[in-house]
Amino acid sequence: MKSLLKPIYFLLLSSLTLFSCEKEDKIEAEISKISIDFTVERFDKAFAEVTPNTLPQLKEAYPFLFAKSYDDAFWLNKLKDTLQQELQNETIKKFENLKKETVEIESLFQHLKYYFPEFKTPRVITVATDVDYRNKVIVTDTIVVLPLANYLGKDHFFYDGIQEYIAEDLEPKHLVVDLATNYAKHYTFNQRRKTFLDDLIFEGKLLYFKDKVIPFKTDAEKLNYTEAEYNWAKANEEYIWRYFVDKELLFNTDTKLPSRFINPAPFSKFYLEQIDSESPGEIGKYIGWQIVRDYMKNNTISFKQMLAKEPKEIFDNANYKPRK
């Protein structure tokens, strides 16, 4: 009897996996038919070409990009500023067109519209401003602003002096990922986080959100990891989880834990020399992601409902088991 159970189990598992894939394919086919009417407005190019005669029209079209406390002379002088000229030249050279990024943003918007019918397509506007890796994109209900100088590639000379782990994130491929992160924070219930588990589950929700709205990105890209960093996280998942449990970190309220395992950093801080030197930063996000994925796999609940669930409820019902 035992010898028969194993083949039956794997047959059932294969059938469930096939059914799940077919369901996902059907959903993606429906999403691809959603009409999204938008264009990427190249304010960076328009401002670079503005003249005293055309400035009033540009200000009228983009009043929110011109502080009223500055007169026309200020903006015209800004055009002569060598730093502004360099910003404009470098962003336009790197992004002469935004064909790939536009396709990805459109797909993101289609997925958002499918899962959140109330979603309204915003204006999407590019700008050439100073590098600000802490605020890489700006998202409101009606406007998305894309500062292109934040995505010129990790080796760009603008990023000289920026730590390598930060510069790694300043690649064009991360633009739509950062946009999805902003929307994830908007749609995810953000209760006050007291414990390390609260942080893990919140970050896991954000990453699961990306599973749903940017499925065309790799898991490594969703985390802003390199493939090597992502493979390290997968290979060491069981060890990481055992460390969190053995050190009784899950329900710990130590405010230093996010800086060790959640916040951007060159590596995660286990305080073990060899592991610290090999690990990528933000490893807690990866663990939280796997917990949320298991919760969704093992419970009958919608994506939107999950976003509002309490962290402990998700953890208690996830039946999470780290991959070996």
Side-chain angles (χ1 to χ4, degrees), residues 110-133:
Q110 287 175 315
H111 285 79
L112 287 171
K113 188 67 175 177
Y114 178 84
Y115 291 108
F116 306 93
E118 69 276 16
F119 171 76
K120 305 292 184 184
T121 306
R123 292 176 67 180
V124 179
I125 303 163
T126 61
V127 297
T129 55
D130 294 344
V131 176
D132 184 0
Y133 57 80

Side-chain angles (χ1 to χ4, degrees), residues 64-218:
F64 43 85
L65 294 179
F66 293 91
K68 292 182 179 180
S69 55
Y70 298 106
D71 60 16
D72 288 3
F74 171 85
W75 300 111
L76 294 171
N77 285 330
K78 188 174 180 65
L79 280 171
K80 301 174 185 177
D81 180 78
T82 54
L83 175 58
Q84 180 63 32
Q85 290 176 351
E86 192 170 39
L87 283 166
Q88 290 168 176
N89 292 339
E90 291 300 310
T91 54
I92 293 171
K93 182 171 66 176
K94 179 69 175 181
F95 298 102
E96 183 178 353
N97 64 67
L98 285 158
K99 288 183 180 178
K100 181 178 180 181
E101 290 78 13
T102 300
V103 169
E104 291 186 343
I105 293 170
E106 181 180 17
S107 183
L108 165 64
F109 288 169
Q110 287 175 315
H111 285 79
L112 287 171
K113 188 67 175 177
Y114 178 84
Y115 291 108
F116 306 93
E118 69 276 16
F119 171 76
K120 305 292 184 184
T121 306
R123 292 176 67 180
V124 179
I125 303 163
T126 61
V127 297
T129 55
D130 294 344
V131 176
D132 184 0
Y133 57 80
R134 293 183 180 86
N135 300 288
K136 292 168 69 181
V137 297
I138 300 167
V139 176
T140 73
D141 289 340
T142 58
I143 296 170
V144 166
V145 178
L146 304 177
L148 296 182
N150 293 331
Y151 298 99
L152 297 176
K154 64 181 180 180
D155 297 321
H156 195 277
F157 66 86
F158 277 177
Y159 309 148
D160 290 348
I162 293 178
Q163 290 179 279
E164 184 177 351
Y165 78 94
I166 295 173
E168 289 279 355
D169 293 346
L170 306 180
E171 293 283 345
K173 66 181 180 180
H174 292 311
L175 187 152
V176 77
V177 177
D178 293 335
L179 196 51
T181 300
N182 274 263
Y183 279 109
K185 291 176 180 178
H186 175 77
Y187 285 107
T188 301
F189 175 60
N190 187 15
Q191 76 286 346
R192 185 182 176 192
R193 302 195 292 279
K194 299 178 181 178
T195 68
F196 184 50
L197 179 65
D198 293 341
D199 286 312
L200 293 181
I201 299 302
F202 178 71
E203 297 296 340
K205 286 181 179 182
L206 300 186
L207 283 158
Y208 189 85
F209 189 101
K210 296 181 196 177
D211 282 340
K212 305 301 282 185
V213 302
I214 48 171
F216 49 88
K217 287 294 186 179
T218 68

Side-chain angles (χ1 to χ4, degrees), residues 45-70:
K45 287 187 175 182
F47 186 70
E49 298 167 357
V50 79
T51 67
N53 290 332
T54 61
L55 180 59
Q57 290 90 340
L58 193 63
K59 290 175 69 175
E60 184 177 354
Y62 301 95
F64 43 85
L65 294 179
F66 293 91
K68 292 182 179 180
S69 55
Y70 298 106

Side-chain angles (χ1 to χ4, degrees), residues 189-206 241 244-245 248-255 257-258 261-262 284-285 287-292 295 309-320:
F189 175 60
N190 187 15
Q191 76 286 346
R192 185 182 176 192
R193 302 195 292 279
K194 299 178 181 178
T195 68
F196 184 50
L197 179 65
D198 293 341
D199 286 312
L200 293 181
I201 299 302
F202 178 71
E203 297 296 340
K205 286 181 179 182
L206 300 186
W241 179 245
F244 288 171
V245 172
E248 300 181 345
L249 300 185
L250 295 183
F251 299 100
N252 196 310
T253 58
D254 184 355
T255 57
L257 288 173
F261 300 110
I262 299 290
K285 293 181 179 180
I287 296 297
W289 190 12
Q290 307 318 308
I291 295 172
V292 172
Y295 175 76
K309 290 293 182 182
E310 293 288 338
K312 193 169 185 305
E313 181 178 347
I314 289 178
F315 177 66
D316 288 345
N317 294 284
N319 193 28
Y320 168 65

Side-chain angles (χ1 to χ4, degrees), residues 31-53:
I31 290 172
S32 68
K33 296 175 184 176
I34 295 174
S35 178
I36 297 293
D37 183 19
F38 92 105
T39 57
V40 176
E41 301 177 40
R42 294 300 301 263
F43 175 83
D44 59 317
K45 287 187 175 182
F47 186 70
E49 298 167 357
V50 79
T51 67
N53 290 332

